[in-house]
Amino acid sequence: MDLPRKRFRSRLAWLLAALLVGGMWRGTTGDLKLSFLDDPRTLEDTCRLLERHGISKEAVAAFKRVVEFHNKEGNPVDRSRFPIKRGGYYRFSSVEDFTRRLARPLYATPGPALTLTCFDVACLLLRGAGRKAGSLEKGFESKGIVRVTDDGRAQAVTYEEFRSGFGLLMPAKGYELFVGKPRDEMETRLGLVLRAARRLSGSLSASREGLEKAFEQYVRRVREDGFEFPRKFKLGLGFYVNLRSRYIVADHAFICMPEGERLVCVEKNGSPGPYVRAEFESPADLARYVSWSLLEAAKDPKVKERGNSVLVSLNEELIGVFPSRATPKQRKAFFRKD
């Protein structure tokens, strides 16, 4: 096929997908059931669900402690426009209904202090399910791990510099304070491997195909570091892709479990933000939920994420692709293959 015709077909496919989803799916989004885990019954049920999906009792008990500690002073999320809570849950007609009622993104919830990050919590549970990443330092120089500066540039980094931190995870002393035990070496490696920004190789464009290739590079890299995705549940990730500086970085992490015909997701939304249990009818709704706050940040001219593309995944599968060049209507296009 000649190149102009190939480009035309690619653009036509993009347009059709955007029109299909922006039109037909507008009326078929499912309801959203959400809890901040500040109801004891809901927290207990969530802990049982985590154990049922292969996470150890010890890890679940630690998770319960940090949730109770976070909620002991009350829930600071502005819920003045929320529906009445029933049975420990708020129910919204759609993800859009939920986001319209928020005063600010959940990660920006004002709190009395910073606590664990989403990656701290996700890796606590991943480690409780036996996940590991034991090859982080092996061939480190060839793995494309970079440090992202405040102005969005990617800089080379040594293994020693990378291990020293620069804000990827809660510092060790803070983690021990909240969790009640030190974070072990393998759990630390899990967090660093998943959170690391990775330099992109090859020629990539801000198209569906180009962004899919960026995600494939990320998956290949974390596997090289010894990480294997869980099978009894799924690891969810939200990414920024910066094609100007050529890197991909996971900015949000959560645990997703199938429960009947619904997807039950457990997350910590930002260091000062709340713990959340959110239930969705489809991967598309889940992608809408996760992408919303990332896209809101990408609009801010003062942050390094300005103008970045956004991806949402469950394990090795992309469930949401949001190119930076897309219009708000086109950003409703979800490319999960059923």
Side-chain angles (χ1 to χ4, degrees), residues 26-43:
R26 186 184 301 274
T28 60
T29 57
D31 71 304
L32 167 62
K33 180 180 174 184
L34 184 142
S35 168
F36 295 111
L37 298 180
D38 49 358
D39 180 277
R41 295 168 300 174
T42 307
L43 179 56

Side-chain angles (χ1 to χ4, degrees), residues 120-335:
D120 293 318
V121 174
C123 290
L124 168 66
L125 298 175
L126 284 168
R127 185 65 184 135
R131 298 298 94 186
K132 58 184 180 180
S135 303
L136 172 61
E137 74 279 14
K138 185 177 180 180
F140 183 85
E141 294 76 12
S142 65
K143 290 182 174 178
I145 293 177
V146 295
R147 176 178 183 174
V148 178
T149 63
D150 290 340
D151 59 357
R153 292 180 295 111
Q155 293 181 341
V157 63
T158 67
Y159 179 68
E160 291 73 21
E161 291 169 335
F162 178 69
R163 281 300 305 255
S164 68
F166 49 81
L168 296 180
L169 300 169
M170 167 67 67
K173 289 184 178 179
Y175 178 94
E176 184 174 358
L177 172 66
F178 294 121
V179 178
K181 66 179 182 67
R183 178 167 46 206
D184 69 25
E185 172 63 14
M186 195 55 69
E187 189 177 325
T188 299
R189 287 170 178 252
L190 277 171
L192 292 174
V193 164
L194 296 173
R195 187 74 175 88
R198 310 274 177 161
R199 194 180 298 278
L200 295 170
S201 60
S203 178
L204 300 177
S205 63
S207 64
R208 171 188 169 183
E209 181 181 18
L211 294 171
E212 285 176 342
K213 288 181 179 178
F215 176 68
E216 289 169 2
Q217 289 186 29
Y218 174 88
V219 171
R220 184 170 65 253
R221 292 299 193 186
V222 297
R223 283 179 169 162
E224 289 172 357
D225 290 333
F227 178 73
E228 291 295 333
F229 289 92
R231 294 302 166 209
K232 292 186 177 180
F233 60 90
K234 293 187 178 182
L235 170 65
L237 293 169
F239 297 89
Y240 284 116
V241 180
N242 186 319
L243 292 178
R244 299 182 304 278
S245 297
R246 303 189 60 76
Y247 67 82
I248 180 171
V249 60
D251 194 71
H252 186 54
F254 57 96
I255 299 300
C256 184
M257 300 165 285
E259 184 73 356
E261 296 182 355
R262 297 179 72 85
L263 297 173
V264 179
C265 296
V266 176
E267 66 176 353
K268 175 67 160 56
N269 208 305
S271 186
Y275 288 86
V276 179
R277 170 175 171 165
E279 300 186 15
F280 305 89
E281 290 189 353
S282 70
D285 287 336
L286 169 57
R288 284 188 178 93
Y289 171 85
V290 174
S291 67
W292 180 77
S293 59
L294 297 176
L295 290 168
E296 285 296 299
K299 297 176 185 176
D300 188 343
K302 299 179 182 178
V303 301
K304 60 187 176 185
E305 293 81 13
R306 169 68 175 174
N308 286 358
S309 297
V310 169
L311 308 178
V312 183
S313 67
L314 289 177
N315 277 6
E316 306 98 320
E317 180 183 22
L318 273 180
I319 61 171
V321 179
F322 306 85
S324 59
R325 71 181 187 185
T327 66
K329 186 174 183 179
Q330 288 172 331
R331 280 178 173 164
K332 294 182 179 180
F334 297 88
F335 300 105

